[in-house]
Amino acid sequence: MAHTASISQLQTPPWALVNGELVPYTDVKIHIGAEALTRALSVFEGVKGYWDSAGEVFSIRTPRRHYDRLCRSASLFHIPVRFSYEEFLAGLSKLASELLVPDKDLWFRPTMYVTHGHWGEATEADLVVTAFSQRKLDPDPMRLGVTSWRRASDLVLPTRVKSSANYVGARMARIEVRRLGYDDAIMLNDAGRVAEATGACVLIAQRGRIVTPPTSESCLDSITVDILESVAKDLGLTFERRPIERTELLAADECGLAGTISELTLVAELDGVEYEQSGLLAQVRQRYLELMRGDLVLPDVDLVPLVDASREALAG
Amino acid sequence: MAHTASISQLQTPPWALVNGELVPYTDVKIHIGAEALTRALSVFEGVKGYWDSAGEVFSIRTPRRHYDRLCRSASLFHIPVRFSYEEFLAGLSKLASELLVPDKDLWFRPTMYVTHGHWGEATEADLVVTAFSQRKLDPDPMRLGVTSWRRASDLVLPTRVKSSANYVGARMARIEVRRLGYDDAIMLNDAGRVAEATGACVLIAQRGRIVTPPTSESCLDSITVDILESVAKDLGLTFERRPIERTELLAADECGLAGTISELTLVAELDGVEYEQSGLLAQVRQRYLELMRGDLVLPDVDLVPLVDASREALAG
Amino acid sequence: MAHTASISQLQTPPWALVNGELVPYTDVKIHIGAEALTRALSVFEGVKGYWDSAGEVFSIRTPRRHYDRLCRSASLFHIPVRFSYEEFLAGLSKLASELLVPDKDLWFRPTMYVTHGHWGEATEADLVVTAFSQRKLDPDPMRLGVTSWRRASDLVLPTRVKSSANYVGARMARIEVRRLGYDDAIMLNDAGRVAEATGACVLIAQRGRIVTPPTSESCLDSITVDILESVAKDLGLTFERRPIERTELLAADECGLAGTISELTLVAELDGVEYEQSGLLAQVRQRYLELMRGDLVLPDVDLVPLVDASREALAG
Amino acid sequence: MAHTASISQLQTPPWALVNGELVPYTDVKIHIGAEALTRALSVFEGVKGYWDSAGEVFSIRTPRRHYDRLCRSASLFHIPVRFSYEEFLAGLSKLASELLVPDKDLWFRPTMYVTHGHWGEATEADLVVTAFSQRKLDPDPMRLGVTSWRRASDLVLPTRVKSSANYVGARMARIEVRRLGYDDAIMLNDAGRVAEATGACVLIAQRGRIVTPPTSESCLDSITVDILESVAKDLGLTFERRPIERTELLAADECGLAGTISELTLVAELDGVEYEQSGLLAQVRQRYLELMRGDLVLPDVDLVPLVDASREALAG
Amino acid sequence: MAHTASISQLQTPPWALVNGELVPYTDVKIHIGAEALTRALSVFEGVKGYWDSAGEVFSIRTPRRHYDRLCRSASLFHIPVRFSYEEFLAGLSKLASELLVPDKDLWFRPTMYVTHGHWGEATEADLVVTAFSQRKLDPDPMRLGVTSWRRASDLVLPTRVKSSANYVGARMARIEVRRLGYDDAIMLNDAGRVAEATGACVLIAQRGRIVTPPTSESCLDSITVDILESVAKDLGLTFERRPIERTELLAADECGLAGTISELTLVAELDGVEYEQSGLLAQVRQRYLELMRGDLVLPDVDLVPLVDASREALAG
Amino acid sequence: MAHTASISQLQTPPWALVNGELVPYTDVKIHIGAEALTRALSVFEGVKGYWDSAGEVFSIRTPRRHYDRLCRSASLFHIPVRFSYEEFLAGLSKLASELLVPDKDLWFRPTMYVTHGHWGEATEADLVVTAFSQRKLDPDPMRLGVTSWRRASDLVLPTRVKSSANYVGARMARIEVRRLGYDDAIMLNDAGRVAEATGACVLIAQRGRIVTPPTSESCLDSITVDILESVAKDLGLTFERRPIERTELLAADECGLAGTISELTLVAELDGVEYEQSGLLAQVRQRYLELMRGDLVLPDVDLVPLVDASREALAG
């Protein structure tokens, strides 16, 4: 599987969910006067649902944490949240009932678009959920380059908030490195250290340890990274969170990208230098997928089955 | 006139212009899958048209420079421009013919929304122009506060590009200072010096000179400031562009905000301290308005009459 | 108990201690030619003494560590120390014998004022100790705002040194946020991350952990925070020292301020957003007070009884 | 004249002026509870009075600008000013009548000490003026070293405000370089460029031009530098204000320190490297002194004669 | 003429000059124990000699300024200079007598290699001069990319000193962008603004003005840029020195690289975006070459004829 | 043993090893056209061999880690490595056979000099190994000063790469502090915190813990520090890696410098302030030497005996 296309640009699903109601996907539009467009005011989550290894039950990974993080993003941007966790989860289930098919997982993008209000006064947002199928194939290892553009710092455009505005810089970065034939860009933070890729966090393996930058290095407060930490520790590995310099990244034994959609994708090369794949990150990745498929259970990681959606999909 | 509302939030004009065609304003929407929403990819201009003092001819201020700047914003964001300057100007005229009324000026917002393509590939953008009436009243002097949020630096989210994403931070800043009862926020740049207000540039008067930060201080490359420089020099005043510290701003004789929509708006107080109005900035403001009304002519500043639109408005 | 007044501004005790001698408080003055005034050369400590829960013995918390820190502050400012730990402790006891009353604790401020010498040559300092009664009431939770002023970095004005000069910026910060009705300000460091409040350290509780910035983030090397770490670990809680970003502070579960005088004061809101009080910090606070009252003993934390002063106070 | 001693540490004048009243110098003290001591809250000016070359009239250099700058310092620190310019000037005159002697100039230090109020509430300050005689001898060229300590930036402790707190770092810097046998230290700002010396501004001569950093480089907004600019331009020299790097300072043709008390003092060496004295700065210095003695008149620079004080001094 | 090769890597001249003596080029080696190798201690100049347009006289451009700058580089690195300007110039002449041929100019590289001493004690350096022929062809416009590596700041490795150590980063930068097919890299400084290319300074033309960063932006104190300033002003153009942001560079009308060897080389594209060549920089370049060929005379720019070397070359 | 001379400046060994062949030391020279000189392109290691305490077997400390680090340095500088670990080790053995004598240890400096190629194209490097005897005496405690020059950050000149270019700044720093009579300089990083000494890492002991900065603070990724961590933990001590501020260094209980050649050298004073030697670092040092002499064995630390070289030396 190549990395040159976003999952969402290849599919046009029939339905989306707007404030809990199914609406034809192509009809979901935002008026140009809304702050979602005039001031780039939208926050979102990427949520992943997995079929278990038997192909019988479809479950959402850690939906509560996604709901909490979406609420936190909204709160930091002064956007009121008008739906409960139960409504959020029911929405995912409702949309999955329409879009889920056997043999493919689903990636959901719940987004809050500010539709009314200005400058924090009388702000209202719609919750729109879209979902896209994802095949269970392994991605090819990625080829990365370090971009000359920078990740915003916390006081400028907080990485802690998953917002569309963060992708303006990410897109410049990716365009820059794609001219080189790379798949994605490593972005440095304002101190010149490793922040993250344009849409995923960075992990390295070095002398048997796994290291990733803490959130104070301008990377997302990643739920997937937290789960990978649990997986790694379950495997008996040391897992550190500390600043990583660019040359440490270049000189690492291995490198991987982590995110809900990337899961743990191996990196084949950076800036033209190939990593020797020691197998450590591949092992963590394998265990992560077992965890997602229900073949491994860890105390901190919950999968919430969507029983009705599973049934309908299998019946479908 | 108070400052607590944006001009665009108070009006719902009947028409907008989409790629040269008139479309009912309320119908102009962007699909949620467009990069304009998923990656905050839109660039815009604020363009102002003025009635002359006789109320007979309506002209656009420096439209060529706005067109050039819009093209530059688009280019820096890798968005192709598919319309010529002549088409751009014709579009303003066409919309003005519908919306212009006697006694009110018009503020146009030409915006390019990325509607197709991803990550710089196959990118296409719609040009949408909206316009809003503006009364000829003098604004009240503004009350400002310094925000603790920061303006993005050039490598993060270039201020040189007028884009919606810059308003995410601007909105956080304005919300912060509005809790104090202030009208707007002064944003500092990543070196801690004065960048700009949330939607306008900053000028100070100090010992008979006018000073404003250069664009390398993370403020917009403002056409209005260039015109004010011409006006000031025509009045025999020294006009400097150099970094301004926060305490220099606090200790200045006078302060003003400059922009297409703000023109030159005086500042009454900053951080609770009132400026004594020496009259220098008021004088510059007065001359600026005379220039806009056609009662003063300066070699560098062109007003392009929209003769048809003027006629139709007066025929109204 | 409100936070709008400093403890020292509400009381005028009868005595202070100058180089070991009791002197009427109102007579203790510094000549304008002394470096304490011309170059802001004074260093101090805040030391707290507590009655045990039976109200019988009055003890000083960790006096040796305060003495050592005062010596370190003096050394970093090239101020010779001419008194031993024993003399320091005897001084606290002597003053307590005069000022201690039943039912009220005492907060001491030992200060070294540079009275002779210039630019590090022939420097001499007086040790003046003042003390103020503190009632045993719980403080109200505080309301905080982030200031736009910044904490000095180590090469500019080291936070490691408790000196009056650090309060110039702290006062600007507090004045700024008090206009908003806040009680105190959060100050960011030169990297834009959380440093401390104007006179206390910051702790957050997040997902069951307690986190506080390390001293390299421009916050005081706080004795109280060290004790709170011991208390937290005694309660089985994880206690981390790592950089905290502003939005992490905003999005935390709970926030508290720690210092000798603040003990552990809960924070009700920051920047207008209320924290939900999960009770974790309240529990730590409770245990801290038990420790101070002698109802809990921890190996690293010593209380030194002032027996004579206790007797005199109870006899008094 | 050597540089190892401050002017104020060598003299004990009989009188000082407190809020307009003469008080014996040794009696002027500040209570330890005042914010002048607890929070280093004092702002001051250095003002110089000169005998004319005939030794008949004693005049104050630019007293209005000193008054304005003192008011600005006080305002930035939220300290109310309760005296007019006329009262300020009368105070200088009154003190000069007591302390002035023939053949020696006078350097005044008007200082506002915060004596009442806390954290900006109910703040009151005393105006204390001291004065010290200064002989008319030429100072020896100075030997400087670059310190590893840094000047505070504007958001931390503004250099624009002349306050005692700025001298904490200055003193650390001077102690550091005096161990080398240097007279004074060059302080760099937070960007690592030249800020100023510990109590004076820096000028260089390079290829026939005079260059000095602008105030945004963390140096004082110096009145003396403004006057030197007038002098230099009167001599037909180019005078630039732009950032100066440390190696540019090291490689300059000449270097000088400027301030009310330093006037324009030549620098003999920096970091062990001697400057060749081309004579350019010496020429500017000479003209500056002629201006101060009334032998040169420039339109922007006013000297205000204290006629009564002159008479009394001469009458002796 | 392409840009993929350095002038010095294509030629092996028969002779070099070592401390004034001719030595076969291939014999000029440095011992591995010398600080020139163990601590990268060498400083150099690039000096250019031109035939006049008649092809009769060969002159060195501004040799005195090169000598002075070499002495300054040496001084900042604590390397004693043991040769006079006259010896320096005589050396160029001696080497030119051997290497000069009609129809080709010569580029000299005088280098001081530290051969004895350690850590600044007993330091001695050899002066080695090499020279390479340069044809009079116009270079192709260059294609540039912005590198993610950074120029050192003044306190780390001063750009003011022309030293081999500056090329470690320059080489990493050039390797990075050459993977893209670019000819050279734009390096940003530690503030993220434009510093210089890997071996030349950057100029832009924007709205009829020529702009280049000042040396405080981490670019070389370029003699060629000073000459280009004289040329530009002679043409009636405005020439500004001020910080340039990366997006200003991208959005400029034109861009050129300036240096002794680059002269003024036009830039065809940056980061994949082509500049429209307005002809302004080409005009300046043309005048610069006329100046070098003796067809234009400017007061500040001197060419020193090497009469003997010219004769021998023509006789050759 | 004093610190004023480098080990390599005092000895002239008879042989060096060039690409595996013995060559007379004085003949090993690099041509001036090589990138090793024109662009400071060389990377090196410092490797130490120790006699065991019986004086019978001579072993190399952790040669594999040195080989790996040398390869990493070369790779980050785009220099191909053409020798295997076995060849590297055999080379050390071959040279030791010539230079080793009883009673003295050997310090090897394997250096890769770029001799061919330009700007990363066709790059070739020679591997030259030199070795110098080192007596087994204890060094005197060192006296250090903080320099005003700065360590390069990772994007400028990576400290992770051991290269000659890093010594340009180190030499300026050491020259600066040696004027004070200090032995060596502490260099701060671009954030103003402790990086390292000019050729060794910094450790402090504070309240029973040993602390050293992580590599992201611009210090070498030191093998010796890793071994000292093992030694410290074997002694039951806490060993932390976290940023250290300058005043924390000044206020520490003890300070030491660590490196292959420094081993663990105690620091007597910093900036004129003496450390009280608590004995903690001396104890670690003692154990480290026991480990090097074979009297202590730790699982992570390997010594590779050079049996032939030992025999020849003893037979010698």
Side-chain angles (χ1 to χ4, degrees), chain C residues 65 72 75-76 78 153-155 158 160-161 190 193 214-218 221 226 233, chain F residues 150 188 191-193 206-207 209 242-252 271 273:
Chain C
R65 289 203 59 192
R72 193 177 68 189
S75 169
L76 288 169
H78 305 278
S153 66
D154 192 56
L155 295 183
R160 181 162 278 102
V161 178
D190 66 349
R193 294 187 295 258
T215 59
S216 51
E217 295 289 297
S218 295
D221 185 10
D226 287 352
K233 289 182 173 168
Chain F
R150 288 281 168 98
L188 306 179
R193 294 185 297 258
Q206 184 67 14
R207 311 188 80 213
R209 299 166 172 229
R242 58 167 176 75
I244 296 178
E245 289 182 303
R246 184 231 190 114
T247 58
E248 182 172 19
L249 183 62
L250 279 165
D271 283 346
V273 181

Side-chain angles (χ1 to χ4, degrees), chain F:
Chain F
M1 195 176 97
H3 302 276
T4 48
S6 297
I7 191 170
S8 60
Q9 74 191 76
L10 296 173
Q11 301 174 25
T12 306
W15 300 101
L17 201 79
V18 179
N19 294 329
E21 299 303 315
L22 289 168
V23 177
Y25 177 79
T26 50
D27 292 353
V28 189
K29 299 179 176 177
I30 306 290
H31 188 261
I32 54 165
E35 263 193 335
L37 280 161
T38 57
R39 298 189 190 101
L41 257 293
S42 64
V43 295
F44 71 99
E45 281 294 309
V47 182
K48 189 76 185 288
Y50 287 89
W51 284 105
D52 64 5
S53 55
E56 292 175 359
V57 182
F58 178 80
S59 302
I60 304 292
R61 192 204 72 181
T62 59
R64 178 85 212 189
R65 289 203 59 192
H66 285 287
Y67 174 79
D68 288 347
R69 194 169 66 179
L70 183 60
C71 292
R72 194 177 68 190
S73 291
S75 169
L76 288 168
F77 274 4
H78 305 279
I79 306 171
V81 175
R82 300 178 297 176
F83 49 88
S84 66
Y85 168 62
E86 288 69 27
E87 290 166 327
F88 175 79
L89 190 59
L92 299 185
S93 186
K94 189 170 187 175
L95 190 61
S97 295
E98 295 297 323
L99 301 181
L100 189 61
V101 295
D103 293 329
K104 288 189 185 170
D105 299 321
L106 268 186
W107 177 77
F108 302 86
R109 190 188 202 268
T111 308
M112 293 176 66
Y113 296 102
V114 175
T115 55
H116 291 82
H118 287 273
W119 299 108
E121 295 175 357
T123 303
E124 292 180 25
D126 282 350
L127 174 65
V128 176
V129 187
T130 53
F132 304 90
S133 294
Q134 197 173 28
R135 301 229 282 166
K136 299 182 193 166
L137 303 179
D138 271 8
D140 294 335
M142 297 181 80
R143 301 170 59 246
L144 307 180
V146 174
T147 178
S148 59
W149 301 100
R150 288 281 168 98
R151 207 61 165 154
S153 66
D154 192 57
L155 295 182
V156 164
L157 194 57
T159 317
R160 183 163 276 102
V161 179
K162 276 185 84 76
S163 77
S164 60
N166 274 320
Y167 287 79
V168 173
R171 183 175 166 276
M172 290 197 293
R174 203 185 274 196
I175 290 172
E176 184 183 44
V177 301
R178 281 198 176 174
R179 280 202 304 267
L180 273 168
Y182 293 137
D183 299 313
D184 198 4
I186 292 292
M187 302 192 76
L188 306 179
N189 60 28
D190 66 348
R193 294 185 297 258
V194 175
E196 56 182 5
T198 63
C201 289
V202 176
L203 287 85
I204 60 172
Q206 184 67 14
R207 311 188 80 213
R209 299 166 172 229
I210 296 178
V211 188
T212 194
T215 60
S216 50
E217 294 291 294
S218 296
C219 58
L220 181 69
D221 185 9
S222 165
I223 299 167
T224 305
V225 169
D226 288 352
I227 297 176
L228 291 169
E229 180 175 9
S230 297
V231 168
K233 289 181 173 168
D234 184 61
L235 285 167
L237 299 169
T238 299
F239 193 98
E240 295 178 7
R241 293 175 191 255
R242 58 167 176 75
I244 296 178
E245 289 182 303
R246 184 231 190 114
T247 58
E248 182 172 19
L249 183 62
L250 279 165
D253 293 340
E254 287 187 88
C255 176
L257 299 189
T260 301
I261 204 166
S262 304
E263 295 164 335
L264 175 56
T265 300
L266 302 185
V267 175
E269 66 169 81
L270 174 64
D271 283 346
V273 181
E274 297 204 357
Y275 292 101
E276 296 176 26
Q277 306 294 341
S278 71
L280 193 82
L281 292 185
Q283 181 188 18
V284 174
R285 169 181 167 73
Q286 185 56 34
R287 292 293 277 172
Y288 176 82
L289 292 177
E290 289 168 22
L291 182 67
M292 293 301 106
R293 299 280 170 226
D295 299 327
L296 171 70
V297 174
L298 289 179
D300 291 342
V301 185
D302 62 312
L303 296 176
V304 176
L306 298 186
V307 179
D308 288 349
S310 304
R311 269 191 212 126
E312 289 180 39
L314 295 173

Side-chain angles (χ1 to χ4, degrees), chain B residues 231-311:
Chain B
V231 168
K233 288 181 173 169
D234 184 60
L235 285 167
L237 300 170
T238 299
F239 192 98
E240 296 178 8
R241 294 176 190 254
R242 59 168 175 75
I244 296 177
E245 289 182 300
R246 184 229 191 118
T247 58
E248 183 172 17
L249 184 61
L250 278 165
D253 293 340
E254 289 188 86
C255 177
L257 298 189
T260 302
I261 204 165
S262 304
E263 294 163 333
L264 177 55
T265 300
L266 303 185
V267 175
E269 67 169 80
L270 174 64
D271 283 345
V273 181
E274 297 204 357
Y275 291 102
E276 296 176 26
Q277 306 294 341
S278 70
L280 193 84
L281 292 185
Q283 182 188 19
V284 174
R285 168 180 168 74
Q286 185 55 35
R287 292 292 279 172
Y288 177 82
L289 292 176
E290 289 169 23
L291 182 67
M292 293 301 106
R293 299 279 171 230
D295 298 326
L296 171 69
V297 174
L298 289 179
D300 291 342
V301 185
D302 63 312
L303 296 175
V304 176
L306 298 186
V307 179
D308 287 349
S310 305
R311 269 195 211 121

Side-chain angles (χ1 to χ4, degrees), chain C residues 89-112:
Chain C
L89 190 59
L92 300 184
S93 186
K94 188 170 188 175
L95 190 62
S97 295
E98 294 298 323
L99 300 182
L100 189 62
V101 294
D103 294 328
K104 288 189 185 171
D105 299 321
L106 267 187
W107 177 78
F108 301 85
R109 190 188 202 270
T111 307
M112 293 176 66

Side-chain angles (χ1 to χ4, degrees), chain B residues 82-94:
Chain B
R82 300 177 298 176
F83 49 89
S84 66
Y85 168 62
E86 289 69 28
E87 291 167 328
F88 175 80
L89 190 58
L92 299 185
S93 186
K94 189 169 187 175

